[in-house]
Amino acid sequence: MRISKSGIIASLITIVIGTFCIYTSWEAYSEYKRISEYDGYATGYVTKKHFSRAADGKSTYYLDYWFSSASTEKINATGIISKQQWELLKMGDSLEVRYSLSHPDHNVPKYGGSVSLVYVFFLILLGAVFLVYGIMRIIHNLRMNHS
């Protein structure tokens, strides 16, 4: 029996998709972990609101703000927030900011666009399904060749 080239190609594509999902989930988890370790809290003030629209119609909502760190250093920053928060906040409004005490320029709005663990879990699960399916298809194709 011959090895099915299309079967091998389809298997490799599913393995690549699975690997990409797992890699993306790891990056998202790393971001979640990094933000969860921010130990500084401050009150920030909105200085500007803006958004960008992608070709697919989805928008990313940005908020420019400033806050004073524990060392009383004034920090200007931009963060991504949800559409609902973006619509509610006005220029000059206050918001809570989380930041790294050792690097205050590493900061996010407290209820900003941070990644959820549900998203991370879903991506890991999806990646694992694609990865296992691709590996099983390659094994199946190789066994069919040796029969």
Side-chain angles (χ1 to χ4, degrees):
M1 248 215 197
R2 292 183 53 222
I3 294 177
S4 166
K5 288 182 183 178
S6 62
I8 295 292
I9 290 171
S11 299
L12 291 175
I13 289 172
T14 58
I15 289 171
V16 168
I17 291 170
T19 303
F20 176 76
C21 288
I22 290 173
Y23 172 77
T24 303
S25 68
W26 177 255
E27 289 296 315
Y29 177 72
S30 296
E31 176 74 3
Y32 172 83
K33 192 77 170 138
R34 181 182 64 82
I35 290 172
S36 69
E37 291 173 355
Y38 286 176
D39 42 5
Y41 290 92
T43 300
Y45 299 93
V46 178
T47 58
K48 183 180 175 186
K49 294 169 42 173
H50 48 104
F51 68 96
S52 66
R53 187 169 313 222
D56 63 2
K58 293 183 180 178
S59 297
T60 302
Y61 296 89
Y62 298 96
L63 195 66
D64 292 351
Y65 56 93
W66 71 268
F67 67 96
S68 294
S69 66
S71 64
T72 66
E73 176 185 5
K74 183 178 177 182
I75 307 289
N76 292 304
T78 300
I80 298 173
I81 61 171
S82 68
K83 180 182 179 184
Q84 294 79 12
Q85 260 196 311
W86 190 84
E87 289 173 343
L88 287 174
L89 290 168
K90 308 285 183 247
M91 301 288 285
D93 281 356
S94 64
L95 72 151
E96 290 182 73
V97 178
R98 290 182 71 173
Y99 67 96
S100 168
L101 288 174
S102 57
H103 300 287
D105 54 320
H106 297 166
N107 59 74
V108 294
K110 185 173 178 188
Y111 302 108
S114 61
V115 177
S116 78
L117 285 179
V118 173
Y119 172 76
V120 170
F121 177 74
F122 174 73
L123 270 181
I124 288 174
L125 187 61
L126 186 64
V129 167
F130 272 99
L131 203 56
V132 168
Y133 180 73
I135 291 169
M136 296 300 287
R137 289 227 13 187
I138 284 180
I139 290 171
H140 176 73
N141 279 325
L142 293 176
R143 282 190 181 156
M144 291 297 288
N145 185 41
H146 290 22
S147 300

